[in-house]
Every structure is written in structure tokens, then in C-alpha cells.
Amino acid sequence: MARSTQAAKQGVRRKKQGAGSGGNALLQRAYGLHRQGEIAAAHKAYEAFLSRFPRHGEAMGNFGLLLHSQGQVERAVTLYQQAIELAPRQDHLFYHLGNGLRQLGRPQEAIAAYEQARAPDQNQPDLLVALALAHGDAGHLAEAQGCFETILQLNPDHSQASYHLGLLFFQQEQFAEAAACFTTVLAVEPDYVDAWFNLGLCHKDLGQSGPALESLQRAARLAPDDADILYNIGVLHKEQGEMAAAESTFLQALEVEPAYGICLTDLAILYHSANRLDEAKAMYERALESGYQAESALHMLAALNGETTDVTPLQHVRDLFNNYARSFDTSLEDDLHYSVPAQLADSFQQFSEEGEFSAGLDLGCGTGLAGLAFRGRVRHFTGVDVSESMLAMAAAKGLYDELHCTGIIDFLHGRQSCYDLALATDVFVYLGALETFFTGMERTLRPGGFLLFSVESCDHHYCLRQSGRYAHSPAYIARQARRFHFTIVQQQPTGIRKERGEWIPGELYILQRH
């Protein structure tokens, strides 16, 4: 995630406002103590003055500034609002009021305050930056961009505007534009650590691993004890297949921040992939202790300890595939030699050569590999997946008439005789006990409808493998089919995918509802 910075300026403002000679002496004392940084004494002086002159707008505004600087934001905002009511010409207070409202998570009100402050000086850069940030908080991205661009038209070297414009582009996944902004910042401030960090992330998302690594390493030289930077360098090494370098960098990050959950998890996955199971378990246990994605850590520890649970945590599946989406198709087809959708389509073609299905359902549709294999057989195709990133890839292919981002069981709940073809390729590896799934399918499929799916194979019932994926026995599948009124019309052994050069044994099924 890109890193943001912001600053708010505050200071005592003085303007004549009658309070009598005794009152003025007390007010001047409060101002003097405030300027000298004697906050506790200034606090008492302001309170003493305002107890005698409760409608003195200038004093009230400056007391608000003092409280704001001490983190008492709600009280400061109240004082700013009262001060502006009492002395409306204090335009500077609108700026500080906007800052306070934004800190309180009230961006629309902050925008209104900044606009009031803006009226006397349309192009004050600090104010425009603050206004842009409030627009960003409110989701007004075009307005935020407009403010930053106005600043840069007046001063192309305004680093803060360029930096935050870069963050705005990054948020919208416009990584080339974001990289250009961070590069502009670094031309003015070459030691700006966060600009180097964010530039590295932009290059990474643009697939430019060399410049990404160079930018992150530059950031690391400037901030050698920054765990975020070290972790992201490790991720780059891992993605390039440089596992020793990735391990070394992850360990450096953990020396800086021993309870860094995502780093512990990634290192656990690295050890797991290398079959270094004891080290993987140790890292998952540390990740669990850190509180990071506890359900996922528990699931993987159960797998490594030979325990069998009933279902993979939904958030674990969502995170797995959100992170995997961009490389999913290439990884499955090229690295894992995965071809289950095409095999199922061929088998089903032999079994049912003719005919088009009116409504098809692709459960766990991912990026649309099964949808691509079956699109020609279905008039109206619905895809369901828990991963937003996978669904975005599927949508870009134009294979489905509907897409739903939800868990499979939740989707099936309450639907009645909606579909005559349902696919579940590489889905049961995330479901151990299948009773709830088949309950939903019995209700959702029309009589005579077909259910096609794949499983990894085991000898008895179902089990959670060390990979964290479930396997199911033929006897268990047969029991579910009988119990929920399905006929197994075809059962075909196959290699599901390759791991460490070996095929994972599995089976393809075609079931028909009675």
C-alpha cells in the first residue's frame, strides 16, 4: 500500500478586540505562554480569560489552536465554530476547522470549511492541498485531482502536491501516472523515503521488477530500519524466484519488527513451498501470536499438524486469490499444468453432445477458465467468486452475464430451481464437509440438471492435506450423491495439477439431479 504524509500548521494569531486593561493583560499573558510553548500555563490563562470574557472570539480561536495541537480535536472544533460565530472575519480559523473536521472523519464539513477559508485567497497552496485531501477522503477524486493540478500549474516544483497527486493516481491503479508524480518529487527532494518507496510499488505493479527493486533498495539505504521497505524487497525477490534473497530480507524485516504479521505469513508460505515444514509451522505460530489473519494461520497449522477441519476460512480464500489474480491463469496453465475445465468440457461433450443449457452457474469462477470452456453451451451464464480481483479479471473477458462477489454457500442459500448446469472446478479443495454444499445444489439445480466438479483424491472420507487443500474419497462423494438425490453419470480419474513435478491425483465427476 502506498504511504501518505500530511502536515497541519497552527500558531497564535493576534488581533485587537476589546477586553479592558485587566483582561488584556491576562490575554497577552496567555498569548505569550502559548508562543513560548508553556502549554499547561497557557491553558490555564486562556480558561481564566474566557471565564471573564466568554464571547471573545479571538481568544476562543487561539485556545482552540492550543487544544488542537494537544490532540483535543473535538473540543478544538467546537471552539473554532464558536469563535467564527463571534468574530466572523477570522478567516484563518476556517482552515484549522477544516483540519479538525477532517481528523474527525467528517470530510464534507471539512470541504465546506476549507472553501470558506479559500475565498480571500483562491490559490494558497497549503489550503488547496488540505482541500484536495478532504475531497479524496469524501471520494471526490476528480475534485482532488483538480486541486493538486491547480497548485502544480502555479508551482511545478510543489513536492507535496506532486506526492499526493501520485497517491491519488496509485489509488486508482494508474501506476504510470503515479510513477511520474513520484519521480517529479524526487527530482526536488532526492532523499524523500516514501517517494522512493511508492515509486518502487508503482514499478512493481507495472511489471518492472528491476526498477522496482532499485527504488526500494534506494529507500532502504535512506531508512535501513523500515520493516515495510524490507518486506516489499523480500516480496520482489520471492516473485522473481530468488528464494534465498527473499528469506534473508524477510528475516531482516522481522529483526526490526518481530510481530510483523504479513511478513511472518509470507515467510511461512516460503518455507511451506520449500517443504521446510517445521520452519513453516514456527512462522505460522508466530503469525497467529501476532494476531494477523488468525483464521488462516490456524487453518494452515491444522494442515501441517495432520488435523482435518470442515472448511477453509472464507477470508483465507479471498486473500489468497486477491493476491493471486494477476498471475493466476499463467501460473495454473504453465506452472501447474492445470487443465481441469477443458477436461470436464471434453467429457461432458462426449456424454451430452447436443443441446444448449438455458442457465449455467460457475461456482468459484475465478478468472473464467471454466467459463471459457463452457460458454458456448450456456445461454445465460452466472459466475460466483469470493475474490474481487478474480472477478475483475473474469469481467474483462466478457464470459458471464452476471457476476456475484460472495461465498458459494451464501450464494446458494435461498435459490430454488434456477439452473440446469452448475460447475465447481477446483472448489471442493476449499470445502471439506460437503453436506451444506449439496443441500444448496439440490435446491438450486432444476430436476435433470447437471453438476460438474473436480476433487483431489484420498482413500477415506475427506482430509485436509499438508498443502492446506482438501481431498475427498470416491465413497464419500457417492454417499453425498445418494443422500441428495444425484446420480453419478461419469467418474474419471485424472491428474489435477503438478506440485514439485508430481501430479496430484484427483477425479472429475458429472452428476445429474434426479
Side-chain angles (χ1 to χ4, degrees), residues 387-450:
S387 164
E388 302 91 340
S389 298
M390 299 288 269
L391 286 177
M393 303 282 285
K397 295 177 182 177
L399 299 169
Y400 300 96
D401 302 288
E402 294 179 39
L403 287 170
H404 297 266
C405 187
T406 185
I408 288 170
I409 303 303
D410 288 340
F411 178 83
L412 294 176
H413 182 72
R415 284 177 165 77
Q416 189 78 30
S417 298
C418 300
Y419 303 96
D420 45 13
L421 176 67
L423 311 174
T425 60
D426 213 43
V427 166
F428 289 3
V429 293
Y430 303 106
L431 299 173
L434 298 178
E435 286 79 2
T436 305
F437 175 85
F438 272 97
T439 297
M441 287 311 310
E442 181 186 24
R443 186 175 53 242
T444 301
L445 271 181
R446 295 168 182 155
F450 291 94

Side-chain angles (χ1 to χ4, degrees), residues 455-467:
V455 297
E456 293 184 7
S457 298
C458 64
D459 294 331
H460 177 69
H461 205 52
Y462 63 87
C463 67
L464 180 61
R465 299 163 59 111
Q466 282 189 336
S467 62

Side-chain angles (χ1 to χ4, degrees), residues 288-402:
L288 181 62
E289 289 171 7
S290 78
Y292 179 78
Q293 295 183 348
E295 286 188 335
S296 295
L298 283 169
H299 176 74
M300 296 310 300
L301 283 168
L304 290 171
N305 288 325
E307 302 165 8
T308 292
T309 56
D310 285 342
V311 65
T312 308
L314 197 62
Q315 189 60 48
H316 176 79
V317 180
R318 180 180 288 114
D319 291 338
L320 175 67
F321 286 104
N322 277 339
N323 293 329
Y324 197 15
R326 290 187 185 180
S327 60
F328 181 76
D329 289 1
T330 301
S331 176
L332 276 188
E333 294 174 335
D334 295 348
D335 300 336
L336 302 177
H337 302 277
Y338 175 81
S339 62
V340 164
Q343 291 183 62
L344 268 175
D346 288 344
S347 296
F348 195 56
Q349 183 70 22
Q350 295 169 18
F351 173 77
S352 174
E353 292 186 4
E354 297 181 3
E356 186 180 49
F357 294 89
S358 61
L361 178 61
D362 189 359
L363 296 167
C365 64
T367 61
L369 292 177
L372 187 63
F374 283 86
R375 173 73 261 191
R377 300 290 306 271
V378 181
R379 284 200 296 274
H380 189 279
F381 218 164
T382 298
V384 179
D385 204 280
V386 73
S387 164
E388 302 91 340
S389 298
M390 299 288 269
L391 286 177
M393 303 282 285
K397 295 177 182 177
L399 299 169
Y400 300 96
D401 302 288
E402 294 179 39

Side-chain angles (χ1 to χ4, degrees), residues 15-213:
K15 181 172 147 184
K16 289 186 179 177
Q17 188 170 341
S21 57
N24 277 332
L26 184 55
L27 182 59
Q28 296 309 314
R29 172 173 165 75
Y31 289 162
L33 291 167
H34 192 168
R35 284 195 304 274
Q36 292 162 25
E38 296 184 35
I39 301 302
H43 189 286
K44 288 181 181 178
Y46 279 126
E47 285 189 327
F49 178 82
L50 287 168
S51 69
R52 294 176 57 188
F53 304 98
R55 297 184 59 79
H56 195 288
E58 180 194 334
M60 192 174 289
N62 280 304
F63 189 29
L65 293 175
L66 182 143
L67 294 173
H68 201 165
S69 70
Q70 296 302 297
Q72 298 184 47
V73 183
E74 286 196 48
R75 193 175 173 199
V77 163
T78 300
L79 287 172
Y80 294 149
Q81 290 169 330
Q82 292 173 349
I84 289 166
E85 238 180 88
L86 293 168
R89 295 180 65 84
Q90 297 188 91
D91 298 317
H92 70 286
L93 286 184
F94 283 108
Y95 172 70
H96 298 296
L97 174 60
N99 289 344
L101 289 165
R102 184 168 174 255
Q103 284 176 269
L104 293 174
R106 295 154 62 180
Q108 288 294 154
E109 295 172 76
I111 290 166
Y114 289 137
E115 290 289 2
Q116 288 283 348
R118 188 181 179 189
D121 185 353
Q122 292 288 327
N123 297 316
Q124 185 178 348
D126 287 348
L127 176 56
L128 281 175
V129 167
L131 177 59
L133 294 174
H135 276 303
D137 292 343
H140 307 159
L141 302 188
E143 290 84 350
Q145 183 174 336
C147 289
F148 290 132
E149 289 174 345
T150 297
I151 298 169
L152 292 170
Q153 285 169 6
L154 297 167
N155 179 8
D157 292 334
H158 195 287
S159 295
Q160 193 180 15
S162 290
Y163 183 82
H164 284 289
L165 182 58
L167 293 177
L168 193 65
F169 284 133
F170 191 97
Q171 180 185 347
Q172 299 172 85
E173 298 188 358
Q174 296 175 248
F175 300 118
E177 292 84 352
C181 290
F182 296 131
T183 301
T184 298
V185 172
L186 291 165
V188 179
E189 298 186 50
D191 292 338
Y192 197 152
V193 174
D194 284 351
W196 281 113
F197 176 82
N198 292 333
L199 180 59
L201 297 188
C202 290
H203 285 308
K204 177 178 177 291
D205 282 307
L206 290 167
Q208 301 164 351
S209 56
L213 187 58

